[in-house]
Amino acid sequence: MTVTRFAPSPTGHLHVGNLRTALFNFLIARKSGGTFILRLDDTDPVRSRPEFADAIQRDLDWLGLGWDRLERQSERLELYGNAAEELRGLKRLYEAFETPTELALRRRKLLKMGRPPVYDRSALDLSEDERDRLRTERGQGVWRFLLEHERVEWEDGVLGQASIDASSVSDPVLIRQDGQVLYTLASAVDDVEMGITHVVRGSDHVTNTATQIQIIRTLGGAVPSFAHHSLLTGPQGEQLSKRLGTLALGDLRDSGVEPMALLSLMARLGSSDPVELRYSIEDLMEGFDITAFSASPTRFDVEDLRPLTARYLRGLSFDAVAADIDALGVPRRIARRFWEAVRENVGTRREMGEWWILFRDGAEPIVDAADRDFVAEAFALLPEFPFDTGTWSAWTAAVGERTGRKGRNLFMPLRKAISGRERGPEMADVMALLQKPPGLERRGSG
């Protein structure tokens, strides 16, 4: 059975880059009838915060990316400790005592010599007495994984044939001086224990993958299939790292972006398949293929979500938005007519509320100076309130006959005076939905 996982750290809010990873793992699991695990990487007791863990779950719920299991790495520390003991027993985990300053000096020296800045494993040459002395002087050391100097190869779902020469990589620190287990060990142990079969993540993890493959093999686990998707850039190819705060999923939700608009874009962006608006997760699964994605950086423009959101809303039935319309206070007797009138003129659900305020309270009239006398004369010809769908045509016909105006010169000034806008629903519908008679004096004219 296919088992995938999404493993964010609850140290901040999810952004569009995180979503890509979550969505791909979710779709792979769901498409095969497998299991999707949400695994919170919360081993850092200082930076991990419960409010971020809650926000992660809230964002995934909003998107409809439900998980089958929720795991917290902070509750699995005993497993990591047991794995560390096993690695020590296999002579694959060793203690090192260099300070950050000493390591920086060594790296600088190697670079000046034209050599890769790889840790020299000098800690392996320490005697037990020297280790005891360093513990007394400096406290506990860090624990590094002893890499086998070999070329680690795997067939990557996006990159194709991939490999890393482990001799070009420093032995990674798996446990910090304060005892905190780091991602590289915790993730490998969890992938083995949870039976993860497929791992999809960003291309910035490629080097980690070589290390984790060695750890998994050392622990006797089955190596999952890996796929490393490209990282997102801005619309001009610029790095997104400085803009991620504005691309948090919560911010996109608050701006009115629809979940399926966002998912439709992210499920195809950067692949050989065109972006197509979908209305359900099930539709989104159709045709999804991780191998269709390019390894090249993928350009993301948040503005692409606006037309997708508007198209999504236009395609919704009245039943799909009835609760939203009811929450606005729209009387049920006109709720369906209200939706049919505004559906082509809303970019977000919030804009439905703006239209209802206009119908309920009236608009701020826009009257150009050259049209002031004309509009005043036209308003004097308004029929008795309430209006119906025939009011607009009857009124404009009477105004045109009285004033001699035709076409745009007739209709646009009256539209602006009634609705306060140059564009919007058919004026026949606007007139029928007004809850108060319009007037030029109520809010003043421009």
Side-chain angles (χ1 to χ4, degrees):
M1 182 180 72
T2 300
V3 183
T4 67
R5 45 75 163 181
F6 174 50
S9 297
T11 56
H13 293 286
L14 294 184
H15 52 72
V16 290
N18 303 131
L19 169 59
R20 208 155 182 243
T21 299
L23 178 60
F24 290 177
N25 283 287
F26 173 86
L27 290 175
I28 288 172
R30 289 291 174 264
K31 192 171 181 180
S32 65
T35 299
F36 175 61
I37 299 173
L38 173 58
R39 195 169 79 200
L40 298 176
D41 178 4
D42 58 351
T43 58
D44 187 333
V46 176
R47 298 177 62 233
S48 297
R49 290 160 53 180
E51 58 266 35
F52 290 135
D54 291 342
I56 287 169
Q57 295 173 69
R58 189 163 56 250
D59 286 341
L60 294 179
D61 274 336
W62 169 62
L63 291 164
L65 304 183
W67 53 91
D68 300 299
R69 286 167 53 189
L70 173 64
E71 300 282 356
R72 300 177 189 272
Q73 290 189 325
S74 58
E75 298 174 353
R76 302 170 59 80
L77 299 180
E78 185 177 353
L79 284 172
Y80 311 143
N82 293 339
E85 282 303 313
E86 183 177 348
L87 292 175
R88 290 188 188 98
L90 295 169
K91 306 299 183 184
R92 297 296 297 276
L93 199 62
Y94 64 94
E95 195 172 11
F97 298 90
E98 291 87 356
T99 66
T101 299
E102 290 170 341
L103 291 172
L105 289 172
R106 289 185 190 179
R107 284 193 294 268
R108 197 173 305 142
K109 181 178 179 181
L110 288 169
L111 288 170
K112 285 183 178 179
M113 295 169 62
R115 296 168 58 186
V118 176
Y119 178 63
D120 61 10
R121 296 179 165 178
S122 57
L124 290 173
D125 298 327
L126 296 172
S127 67
E128 196 56 48
D129 288 341
E130 288 173 318
R131 291 190 181 93
D132 289 339
R133 176 180 58 79
L134 287 169
R135 289 191 194 100
T136 300
E137 294 174 356
R138 302 184 179 187
Q140 296 296 317
V142 300
W143 288 88
R144 290 180 178 270
F145 179 70
L146 183 65
L147 289 167
E148 292 184 351
H149 284 173
E150 62 181 9
R151 181 163 289 278
V152 181
E153 300 181 344
W154 70 95
E155 183 64 30
D156 195 279
V158 173
L159 305 176
Q161 189 62 37
S163 67
I164 295 289
D165 182 359
S167 64
S168 67
V169 181
S170 294
D171 290 342
V173 174
L174 301 189
I175 303 174
R176 293 197 328 185
Q177 189 176 28
D178 60 5
Q180 181 187 327
V181 175
L182 296 182
Y183 166 84
T184 308
L185 174 60
S187 182
V189 171
D190 284 345
D191 286 348
V192 171
E193 196 274 337
M194 295 177 186
I196 301 299
T197 61
H198 294 72
V199 175
V200 182
R201 56 189 180 182
S203 58
D204 52 335
H205 283 285
V206 169
T207 301
N208 287 341
T209 295
T211 297
Q212 288 177 306
I213 287 175
Q214 283 205 11
I215 295 174
I216 289 171
R217 286 174 175 165
T218 303
L219 294 174
V223 177
S225 297
F226 286 94
H228 295 84
H229 60 73
S230 62
L231 301 182
L232 296 179
T233 71
Q236 305 304 318
E238 72 274 22
Q239 289 188 347
L240 281 185
S241 57
K242 295 182 179 180
R243 297 181 53 206
L244 287 178
T246 64
L247 297 176
L249 300 190
D251 292 336
L252 295 178
R253 177 175 63 246
D254 293 343
S255 73
V257 169
E258 287 291 322
M260 284 310 303
L262 179 56
L263 294 178
S264 296
L265 178 63
M266 301 308 289
R268 297 293 186 270
L269 187 68
S271 77
S272 56
D273 300 318
V275 173
E276 295 182 0
L277 180 62
R278 303 290 186 174
Y279 280 81
S280 71
I281 296 290
E282 290 70 27
D283 289 342
L284 206 61
M285 285 187 234
E286 289 185 17
F288 176 79
D289 181 1
I290 191 66
T291 65
F293 287 83
S294 168
S296 302
T298 300
R299 298 190 180 193
F300 170 80
D301 189 346
V302 69
E303 292 305 314
D304 291 339
L305 293 170
R306 311 304 175 193
L308 280 173
T309 289
R311 281 174 51 203
Y312 175 82
L313 289 174
R314 286 198 298 270
L316 292 179
S317 67
F318 169 73
D319 290 340
V321 296
D324 297 285
I325 293 174
D326 190 57
L328 296 176
V330 179
R332 293 187 178 179
R333 59 183 172 79
I334 63 169
R336 189 178 296 272
R337 284 166 46 207
F338 169 79
W339 174 237
E340 293 303 325
V342 305
R343 68 188 305 166
E344 298 289 334
N345 294 277
V346 293
T348 65
R349 292 179 194 251
R350 184 182 301 120
E351 291 178 16
M352 290 194 297
E354 295 171 6
W355 280 111
W356 174 240
I357 290 172
L358 185 154
F359 297 146
R360 184 191 65 197
D361 300 335
E364 185 75 32
I366 297 176
V367 182
D368 296 336
D371 294 320
R372 190 164 292 153
D373 292 341
F374 163 72
V375 171
E377 186 175 3
F379 267 55
L381 296 175
L382 274 170
E384 289 188 12
F385 191 80
F387 305 144
D388 58 33
T389 54
T391 299
W392 173 255
S393 60
W395 178 47
T396 53
V399 172
E401 185 176 348
R402 175 71 65 87
T403 64
R405 288 208 185 195
K406 298 178 181 179
R408 182 178 176 84
N409 287 335
L410 168 65
F411 298 121
M412 183 55 71
L414 299 184
R415 171 183 279 277
K416 289 161 60 177
I418 294 289
S419 70
R421 304 189 185 196
E422 292 188 357
R423 297 178 182 84
E426 293 292 332
M427 285 303 296
D429 295 323
V430 171
M431 298 293 277
L433 287 166
L434 291 177
Q435 302 298 292
K436 295 180 180 179
L440 295 176
E441 74 290 340
R442 188 167 42 76
R443 294 188 183 182
S445 58

